[in-house]
């Protein structure tokens, strides 16, 4: 008998007043009983609309049916067929616009908590499951992967399972990409990412950190070393600035710098060797996941007032809905329809405030979103001592500038052929943010999967 | 992990390490740098590749102990390993076509200037080196500079060694004596580079400086190393570290360098206690 409650089982969370003083995970996860009860809300629809919303096509009703039947290991097996990072995706996917956005239960009430169930199953497996990774039979072929973010790690895992000898080259001292340097601990505990990376190593994937491809080795040299194919998953890590006056004042950060100091370099720990400003009032410019993360980190670092300054409206915020809700609970102040025009000097070369202009929404632009236009004479100031620019990133030019024959478009994104991720350069595939520009974890993983399949095909047919 | 093959103390505050890093040695060019992490959880410290030996597969770093990070690095002994070493980062210095060059080094900046002087010398350019230190005890790389310079001016602030005075004085004398340089290369503390640039601007001599802002990743990802050059924002780690000195906004760079002064002072005191050094 399905559970016909129109609402999802609520996710237990840390109290907002407590959590703004720590970096522990905010969402605590379903209990066993809640998970089973939530799973029973699924109607096991024959035409599975939810699956079409998932970029990696997880067989959603099948895994949920296993949860309802309390076969958690079985549920995990269903997930593993389509995703290698379920504990991550269950936490960070924008479910409302993907799987859950298509769920029939969402028509008359709330959709099934697919992401929450995915997370539960992955966590359950990590804590109780048997880890019996079998090293596949080597097939004698070598593939190199550039970048240890979700796209690169997925491609590496899939190829290793097929018997390839895979080496992942990562520029930073830690593997994980945005999962370790960008997304904060309180949203995605680093131990989980580490666990996923350890499983890959058990599969035989060799991860070489501190290797900036394009500098220490070029892609041409990787081919000389005997790799038959290269997958580029180097992400979109180059931060954009607005080019408004005052951006070089002390106290102005790119979101990447602020988050890297906190997450990768652990500046949130009291004894960390990496400094970060403990501002009293912070303006975060932008409205995506990155902006929410920066704002919530700033709050946790002790800021009394944290503003999100975004040029469109609340409806248009590109961040996951849950992050916006959590940010609101944490007293983040949303100044939407508002655009910065200048960062003000406090007289000593530090940030003293931010001057903004109010916006209104005009005609839709090419992206279909209504374009914000300035309201004349509406300028006003917000007093802050730090500004975090979170207005987007683009792919780093390092690889395309050192790899002859690798085509990129005018945004710097690598150009690929159809779904396979094949680039203009023979033997080179690419995927994730390096191709799409800043997007999502699950899309990056999907691209890594497709490319792994295409690489396998190409090598087998060679 | 990267093994320290040899370690040497150059003076009270400056150390030298020869690191086993074959891949980096193979690619390194003068002007490029590495990022070192001494231990698990250490800061990432950018240091210029002071020398490299492609045969032996080693790169040399010369570091001045200024704060907690460099103090921690200095605790790694010969035969032990540093946690991480990544490089070569940044653009190589452009030396092609230069026939006569003045290389100006200040303090530990000499470690950055030396490989350049060496390369210029080896490609047949006339090299005049002007090196400056606060006092005799801080002098480093004198023999090395001598070997690659057609003329070497040694300056100290207090006159305890070489000539008394600032590097700008010696440089101006050389210029006034009729030396026509294709380029001046100035590497040292920001105020020194700023004043060298003011001087060479007066005489219309192209000047290259090596900027060393605070960095994290060194690959263009954080934007923390940004500078204003010719009115445009540049990232020192990927667009530099060399820039046209007459275009650099030094005052802004100096100001940005003070961002973490207080934190650094605390960290330094803690490290001094930890490693039982005198707090200076
Ligand atoms: C703060 C933040 C929050 C986010 N929140 C969400 C969210 O909630 N949900 C969601 O779905 N998505 C979110 N995203 C987006 C998501 O993280 C990215 O779309 C995804 O990580 C892209 O994966 P990727 O593998 O393409 O690249 P990345 O994760 O960027 O990984 C690329 C890796 O390649 C390395 N690299 C780069 N150049 C080189 C080189 N030359 N040589 C060697 N290695 C190199 C980088 O160091 C990095 O480790 C967020 C992003 C950020 C920054
Ligand atoms: C591209 C590049 C190349 C460099 N090459 C060398 C080199 O060959 N030898 C060498 O001794 N140093 C070099 N530096 C400077 C070196 O990185 C810093 O001295 C070091 O990071 C200081 O770390 P710390 O933790 O010991 O000191 P901190 O506690 O961080 O700082 C102590 C003092 O040093 C200053 N400082 C901090 N970071 C820097 C920096 N990046 N540049 C200049 N001053 C800084 C601070 O303002 C403070 O006054 C280079 C820097 C860059 C960016
Ligand atoms: S991977 Fe993401 S989109 Fe797919 S089912 Fe899981 S949460 Fe939904
Ligand atoms: S659409 Fe919703 S109810 Fe139907 S199978 Fe998918 S998750 Fe279950
Ligand atoms: S050090 Fe991060 S962008 Fe230069």
């Amino acid at each position: 008998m399905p559970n016909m409650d129109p609402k999802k089982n609520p996710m237990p969370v840390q109290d907002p007043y407590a959590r703004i003083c720590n970096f522990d995970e905010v969402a605590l996860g379903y209990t066993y009983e809640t998970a089973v009860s939530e799973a029973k809300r699924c109607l096991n629809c024959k035409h599975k609309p939810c699956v079409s919303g998932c970029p990696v096509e997880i067989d959603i009703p099948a895994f949920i049916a296993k949860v309802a039947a309390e076969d958690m290991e079985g549920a995990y097996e269903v997930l593993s067929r389509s995703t290698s990072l379920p504990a991550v995706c269950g936490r960070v996917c924008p479910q409302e616009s993907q799987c859950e956005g298509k769920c029939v239960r969402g028509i008359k009430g709330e959709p099934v908590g697919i992401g929450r169930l995915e997370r539960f199953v992955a966590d359950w497996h990590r804590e109780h499951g048997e880890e019996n990774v079998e090293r596949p039979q080597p097939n004698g072929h070598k593939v190199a992967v550039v970048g240890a973010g979700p796209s690169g790690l997925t491609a590496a895992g899939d190829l290793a399972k097929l018997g390839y000898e895979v080496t992942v080259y990562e520029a930073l001292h830690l593997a994980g990409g945005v999962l370790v340097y960008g997304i904060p601990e309180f949203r995605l505990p680093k131990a989980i990412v580490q666990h996923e990376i350890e499983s890959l190593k058990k599969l035989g994937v060799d991860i070489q950190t501190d290797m900036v491809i394009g500098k220490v080795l070029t892609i041409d040299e990787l081919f000389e070393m005997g790799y038959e194919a290269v997958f580029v998953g180097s992400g979109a890590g180059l931060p954009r600035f607005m080019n408004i006056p005052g951006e070089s004042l002390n106290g102005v950060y790119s979101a990447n710098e602020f988050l890297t100091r906190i997450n990768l370099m652990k500046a949130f720990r009291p004894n960390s060797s990496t400094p970060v400003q403990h501002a009293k009032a912070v303006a975060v410019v932008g409205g995506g996941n990155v902006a929410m993360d920066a704002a919530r980190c700033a709050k946790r670092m002790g800021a009394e007032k944290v503003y999100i300054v975004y040029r469109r409206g609340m409806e248009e915020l590109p961040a996951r809905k849950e992050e916006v809700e959590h940010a609101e609970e944490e007293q983040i102040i949303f100044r939407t329809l508002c655009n910065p025009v200048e960062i003000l000097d406090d007289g000593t070369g530090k940030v003293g405030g931010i001057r903004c202009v109010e916006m209104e929404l005009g005609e839709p632009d090419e992206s279909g979103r209504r374009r914000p236009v300035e309201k004349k004479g509406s300028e006003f100031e917000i007093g802050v001592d730090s500004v975090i620019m979170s207005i987007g990133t683009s792919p780093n030019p390092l690889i395309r500038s050192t790899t002859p024959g690798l085509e990129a478009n005018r945004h710097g994104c690598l150009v690929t052929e159809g779904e396979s991720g094949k680039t203009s350069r023979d033997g080179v595939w690419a995927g994730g943010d390096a191709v799409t520009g800043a997007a999502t974890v699950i899309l990056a993983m999907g691209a890594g999967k497709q490319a792994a399949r295409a690489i396998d095909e190409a090598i087998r047919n060679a | 992990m990267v093994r320290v093959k040899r370690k040497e103390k150059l003076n009270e505050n400056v150390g030298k390490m020869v690191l086993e890093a074959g891949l980096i040695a193979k690619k390194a060019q003068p002007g490029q740098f590495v990022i070192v992490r001494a231990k698990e959880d250490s800061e990432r410290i950018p240091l210029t590749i002071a020398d490299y030996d492609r045969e032996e597969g080693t790169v040399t770093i010369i570091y001045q102990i200024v704060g907690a990070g460099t103090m921690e690095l200095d605790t790694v002994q010969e035969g032990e390993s540093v946690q991480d070493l990544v490089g070569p980062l940044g653009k190589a210095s452009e030396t092609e076509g230069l026939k006569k060059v003045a290389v100006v080094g200040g303090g530990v900046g000499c470690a950055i200037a030396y490989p350049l002087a060496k390369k210029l010398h080896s490609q047949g350019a006339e090299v005049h080196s002007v090196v400056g230190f606060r006092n005799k005890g801080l002098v480093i790389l004198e023999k090395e500079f001598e070997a690659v310079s057609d003329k070497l001016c040694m300056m100290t602030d207090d006159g305890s060694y070489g000539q008394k005075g600032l590097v700008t004085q010696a440089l101006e004398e050389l210029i006034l004596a009729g030396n026509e340089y294709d380029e001046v290369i100035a590497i040292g503390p920001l105020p020194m580079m700023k004043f060298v640039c003011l001087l060479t601007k007066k005489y219309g001599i192209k000047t290259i400086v090596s900027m060393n802002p605070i960095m994290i990743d060194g690959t263009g990802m954080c934007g923390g190393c940004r500078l204003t050059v010719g009115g445009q924002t540049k990232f020192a780690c990927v667009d530099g570290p060399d820039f046209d000195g007459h275009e650099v906004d030094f005052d802004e760079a100096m100001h940005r360098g003070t961002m973490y002064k207080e934190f650094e002072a605390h960290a330094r005191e803690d490290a001094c206690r930890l490693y039982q050094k005198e707090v200076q």
Side-chain angles (χ1 to χ4, degrees):
Chain A
M1 191 47 210
N3 167 357
M4 291 314 289
D5 191 332
K7 286 202 174 289
K8 278 187 201 177
N9 278 282
M11 175 62 109
V13 292
Q14 257 200 84
D15 177 75
Y17 288 97
R19 74 191 190 224
I20 58 170
C21 302
N22 66 47
F23 272 79
D24 299 339
E25 195 169 13
V26 167
L28 301 170
Y30 278 166
T31 60
Y32 193 94
E33 291 71 28
T34 323
V36 173
S37 146
E38 183 64 24
K40 289 187 173 152
R41 291 186 63 230
C42 172
L43 306 175
N44 210 341
C45 311
K46 252 205 208 78
H47 58 299
K48 311 179 185 183
C50 48
V51 177
S52 68
C54 171
V56 294
E57 293 171 18
I58 290 178
D59 190 344
I60 295 167
F63 103 79
I64 293 183
K66 299 269 186 200
V67 178
E70 303 193 31
D71 173 9
M72 302 306 169
E73 228 12 66
Y76 185 79
E77 261 162 49
V78 177
L79 287 176
S80 317
R81 267 185 251 141
S82 319
T83 167
S84 43
L85 303 170
V88 175
C89 298
R91 287 174 165 82
V92 306
C93 263
Q95 286 95 7
E96 68 273 14
S97 56
Q98 296 184 350
C99 51
E100 295 180 20
K102 296 271 166 70
C103 173
V104 294
R105 294 291 316 256
I107 301 170
K108 282 209 191 115
E110 288 183 351
V112 176
I114 302 170
R116 294 171 182 182
L117 289 171
E118 183 173 341
R119 165 188 167 150
F120 173 81
V121 172
D123 288 355
W124 190 91
H125 173 79
R126 194 174 58 252
E127 280 151 30
H128 307 278
E130 287 266 312
E131 198 73 73
N132 45 4
V133 197
E134 272 172 55
R135 262 198 200 212
Q137 197 63 31
N139 68 8
H141 296 282
K142 279 170 67 174
V143 179
V145 169
V146 180
S151 67
L153 292 176
T154 304
D158 281 17
L159 287 162
K161 282 182 200 150
L162 294 167
Y164 289 89
E165 187 184 329
V166 185
T167 314
V168 180
Y169 292 98
E170 166 57 45
L172 291 172
H173 59 259
L174 214 59
V178 167
L179 307 184
V180 296
Y181 80 71
I183 303 180
E185 182 76 21
F186 58 80
R187 204 146 73 77
L188 179 63
K190 300 305 154 236
I192 290 172
V193 183
Q194 206 44 50
H195 180 87
E196 305 292 347
I197 288 167
E198 288 309 316
S199 325
L200 279 184
K201 287 188 184 159
K202 283 188 201 140
L203 270 176
V205 174
D206 176 26
I207 300 182
Q208 301 265 345
T209 50
D210 295 326
M211 296 290 270
V212 183
I213 299 304
K215 284 288 181 189
V216 68
L217 291 171
T218 60
I219 288 190
D220 289 310
E221 285 167 316
L222 292 176
F223 285 116
E224 285 163 26
M225 288 160 68
Y227 294 105
E228 290 162 73
V230 177
F231 174 78
V232 179
S234 52
L238 200 71
R240 276 188 221 131
F241 287 92
M242 289 187 82
N243 295 318
I244 55 174
E247 269 183 322
S248 50
L249 292 170
N250 283 356
V252 182
Y253 290 93
S254 74
N256 271 3
E257 179 184 357
F258 186 70
L259 291 169
T260 300
R261 283 180 181 275
I262 292 175
N263 299 318
L264 182 71
M265 305 307 293
K266 311 285 175 223
F268 68 86
R269 290 189 194 146
N271 56 352
S272 165
S273 54
T274 297
V276 68
Q277 187 193 5
H278 294 254
K280 286 208 177 60
V282 180
V284 178
V285 181
N289 284 320
V290 186
M292 298 307 137
D293 285 345
R296 297 171 68 199
C297 281
K299 192 88 192 180
R300 283 163 175 74
M301 298 303 288
E304 284 153 28
K305 287 213 157 99
V306 181
Y307 303 89
I308 291 273
V309 176
Y310 179 58
R311 62 199 185 113
R312 300 180 203 251
M314 284 306 277
E315 290 302 305
E316 283 82 14
L317 283 169
R320 291 180 78 216
K321 210 166 122 236
E322 189 183 328
E323 308 314 324
V324 176
E325 287 165 7
H326 283 167
E328 286 180 309
E329 287 166 13
E330 289 166 16
Q331 314 294 319
I332 307 290
I333 305 158
F334 285 78
R335 303 301 297 260
T336 50
L337 289 170
C338 166
N339 202 34
V341 289
E342 182 180 358
I343 301 168
L344 307 167
D345 192 329
D346 74 345
T348 68
K350 295 198 203 101
V351 173
I354 185 165
R355 180 174 295 136
C356 302
V357 58
E358 284 177 28
M359 309 293 275
E360 52 196 354
L361 292 179
E363 294 299 307
D365 61 11
E366 57 294 2
S367 73
R369 292 187 299 179
R370 293 174 65 196
R371 204 161 58 90
V373 281
E374 279 183 20
K375 268 200 234 169
K376 283 260 157 355
S378 65
E379 293 199 2
F380 67 101
E381 285 170 16
I382 311 176
V384 291
D385 54 354
S386 182
V387 173
I388 300 171
M389 286 293 171
S390 177
I391 52 166
T393 52
S394 45
N396 193 309
L398 195 53
I399 292 194
R400 61 176 193 269
S401 65
T402 53
T403 312
L406 195 60
E407 250 177 66
N409 67 18
R410 69 190 166 92
H411 301 292
C413 301
L414 298 178
V415 177
T416 55
E417 252 173 51
E419 302 252 279
S420 74
K422 192 175 175 343
T423 67
S424 56
R425 175 71 197 269
D426 261 355
V428 181
W429 279 260
D433 285 5
V435 169
T436 55
T440 60
V441 172
I442 191 72
L443 284 172
M445 283 181 48
K449 261 192 155 4
Q450 303 267 15
R453 213 175 292 159
I455 289 171
D456 176 49
E457 231 163 73
I459 291 181
R460 276 192 292 114
N461 296 336
Chain B
M1 300 286 269
V2 173
R3 213 172 78 95
V4 181
K5 184 159 187 169
R6 289 188 293 280
K7 185 180 168 187
E8 199 183 314
K9 195 167 168 168
L10 298 188
N11 71 32
E12 205 36 58
N13 283 316
V14 179
K16 169 172 148 179
M17 279 183 188
V18 180
L19 300 159
E20 288 175 2
L23 282 176
I24 302 178
K26 217 161 120 189
K27 285 286 169 70
Q29 296 285 344
Q32 290 187 300
F33 64 97
V34 288
I35 288 185
V36 192
R37 259 171 28 107
K39 311 228 161 99
E40 188 71 56
D41 290 332
S42 293
E43 258 189 292
R44 297 169 62 97
I45 305 178
L47 293 166
T48 304
I49 300 173
D51 210 343
Y52 48 82
D53 187 329
R54 303 206 206 279
E55 310 263 284
E56 192 189 46
T58 56
V59 295
T60 303
I61 51 174
I62 294 180
Y63 54 93
Q64 180 166 27
I65 302 170
V66 292
T70 40
M71 216 176 276
E72 190 175 30
L73 175 65
D74 195 50
T75 62
V76 182
Q77 300 304 326
E78 196 166 290
E80 295 178 353
S81 294
V82 293
Q83 183 75 28
D84 292 281
L85 184 72
V86 54
L89 301 170
K91 289 194 175 144
S93 302
E94 285 169 25
T95 53
E96 233 178 79
L98 297 177
K99 296 274 180 298
K100 184 164 178 172
V101 185
V103 176
V104 185
V108 76
C110 291
I112 309 178
Y114 167 68
L116 264 174
K118 181 173 156 187
K119 173 148 192 221
L120 286 162
H121 176 75
S122 74
Q123 62 189 45
E126 185 177 344
V127 178
H128 292 183
S129 300
V130 180
V131 295
F133 300 92
R134 281 211 310 279
N135 59 52
K136 186 176 178 191
L138 299 176
V139 172
I140 55 168
L141 299 173
E142 184 182 11
K143 274 204 221 70
E144 285 84 348
F145 267 103
E146 239 164 36
V148 300
S149 309
D150 297 274
K151 198 190 263 305
L152 174 66
C153 302
M154 169 67 65
M155 310 295 292
T156 49
D157 292 6
D158 63 355
S160 53
Y161 195 63
Q163 265 175 283
K164 180 177 159 97
L166 302 171
V167 288
T168 37
Q169 292 166 353
L171 179 63
E172 187 156 27
E173 279 167 25
L174 286 169
I175 295 170
L176 290 175
N179 286 296
E180 288 189 11
Y181 298 114
D182 299 335
E183 204 171 281
V184 170
I185 299 173
I187 306 176
L190 288 170
M192 180 210 101
M193 294 195 283
K194 175 181 167 178
F195 287 108
V196 168
C197 289
L198 288 175
L199 176 76
T200 55
K201 196 156 192 179
K202 194 167 83 183
Y203 293 102
I205 312 169
K206 182 173 178 198
T207 301
I208 298 297
V209 294
S210 175
M211 300 299 288
N212 46 19
I214 293 169
M215 293 187 175
I216 305 181
D217 57 300
T219 63
M221 184 267 276
C222 71
C225 64
R226 64 191 187 277
L227 306 163
T228 305
V229 182
Q232 282 186 315
T233 299
K234 296 279 178 192
F235 290 0
C237 66
V238 284
D239 301 320
D242 289 1
F243 292 100
D244 180 340
H246 295 155
E247 300 275 328
V248 171
D249 185 339
F250 281 104
D251 294 329
E252 178 190 290
M254 283 189 247
H255 191 76
R256 283 183 63 81
T258 62
M259 173 91 194
Y260 297 110
K261 268 244 139 38
E262 238 172 86
F263 179 94
E264 285 157 355
H266 284 301
R268 189 185 153 85
E269 276 171 38
D270 289 347
C272 286
R273 240 172 272 128
L274 184 64
Y275 303 122
Q276 306 193 331
K277 285 225 170 195
E278 294 275 304
V279 182
Q280 292 167 344

